[in-house]
Amino acid sequence: MAELQVETDLRGVYSHGTRALPGYIQSILDEDVNPAPQFTVVREGPSFGIIEGDNALGHPPSAFAMEMAIKKAKKTGVAAVGVHNAGHFGAAACYGMMAVREKMIGFATTSTAARTVVAPGGATPVAGNTAMCYALPAGEERPIVLDMACGISAWNKIRTMHMYGIPIPTDWMLTADGKPTGDPDEGRMLAPAAGPKGYGLAMIMGVLAGPLVGGLMGCHRAGGPSEHFFMALNISSFTDFDEYSAELDRGIRTVKASKTVEGVDDVYLPGEIEWRNYEMWIENGLPLHLDHLQGLEAIAEKLGVETFWEREYSES
């Protein structure tokens, strides 16, 4: 879990990395999460499986599930594994990238603990802000990694933007009475990404990481554990991997060479900005917001864990 959270920070997705750690630990201290779960495979076949998460933190059973999907996909070409009854699993990209490292296409999605996304024109939340990720290996180029929430933003991203003083568009959130707001303290509901398209995706992801694996539809969720769903597609079962990766590389280079509008220097592939962050920070160190660092320090102090870090930061 620590490895996946730091990996997420290195990609620049602070909202789903170690900034979430104090909340995870507090959920254990509050006895809302089982700190010593026993994962069990409750249903299994050559290309599928269902894992009972035993109300664990979400990362460990999710990694276990993707590992199982990868192992099965090596034999069957495609495999899907669901996790029932587990906590927030962090960034979906972590699990997609597990498949990429095995020269497979990875897919991951999750339900959320509460319904927060409204239908277009609605003022009542009817879907969870489900995350989804497709991760595709390339050859010499960086993998393509699409990791997105089906709502207009992840809630944790909104809180991170607020922490960094980044203005939040007023059409992202709705107050309890359905009025638009850019204030995260007033926002209670999220607009779907791209209107009906994001709403439709949220509904579908909520079924894959819901009733399909023994959970609830987003419109019936009020809190508690979540469900997760993973797929691995073994590229070599469909085609020659070298031919596939050569064409992906060629496509990536075509996109990168495409003309840009005035004032824009570059276009990006999905996940490219995160790859650039990773490559820069793995070499030069990971910058953290002071509030982020103090949050980690506070939970460490609460647990009696000594911390060591240099207070080298800018007040700006």
Side-chain angles (χ1 to χ4, degrees), residues 1 9 25 49 68 72 100 103 113 124 163 227 301:
M1 182 169 176
D9 277 354
I25 293 176
M68 177 184 285
K72 291 178 179 294
V100 163
K103 294 185 176 181
T124 299
M163 184 174 72
E227 277 70 46
E301 182 178 351

Side-chain angles (χ1 to χ4, degrees), residues 39-52 64-73 75-76 78-83 212-213:
F39 308 147
T40 54
V41 180
V42 297
R43 194 182 296 262
E44 185 177 16
S47 61
F48 69 89
I50 297 290
I51 296 166
E52 166 56 44
F64 180 75
M66 183 53 97
E67 287 170 356
M68 177 184 285
I70 290 168
K71 183 177 180 180
K72 291 178 179 294
K75 296 180 180 179
T76 63
V78 180
V81 179
V83 175
L212 182 64
V213 294

Side-chain angles (χ1 to χ4, degrees), residues 10-164:
L10 284 167
R11 296 179 65 243
V13 188
Y14 293 119
S15 58
H16 288 61
T18 57
R19 197 171 73 80
L21 181 60
Y24 293 145
I25 293 176
Q26 190 61 51
S27 69
I28 294 174
L29 298 177
D30 293 340
E31 299 184 349
D32 294 330
V33 169
N34 182 0
Q38 300 296 315
F39 308 147
T40 54
V41 180
V42 297
R43 194 182 296 262
E44 185 177 16
S47 61
F48 69 89
I50 297 290
I51 296 166
E52 166 56 44
D54 196 23
N55 196 26
L57 292 164
H59 298 66
S62 296
F64 180 75
M66 183 53 97
E67 287 170 356
M68 177 184 285
I70 290 168
K71 183 177 180 180
K72 291 178 179 294
K74 288 180 178 179
K75 296 180 180 179
T76 63
V78 180
V81 179
V83 175
H84 174 68
N85 188 27
H88 186 264
F89 75 174
C94 291
Y95 311 103
M97 284 302 302
M98 290 174 64
V100 163
R101 286 189 281 269
E102 298 294 329
K103 294 185 176 181
M104 297 186 184
I105 294 173
F107 171 78
T109 189
T110 179
S111 60
T112 55
R115 56 186 188 272
T116 58
V117 175
V118 299
T124 299
V126 293
N129 190 19
T130 50
M132 58 175 284
C133 170
Y134 279 99
L136 301 90
E140 297 176 356
E141 300 294 335
R142 303 178 182 98
I144 296 175
V145 182
L146 172 66
D147 183 1
M148 56 173 276
C150 293
I152 201 162
S153 172
W155 278 110
N156 280 339
K157 180 179 178 180
I158 289 174
R159 296 185 186 104
T160 300
M161 290 171 64
H162 186 58
M163 184 174 72
Y164 277 86

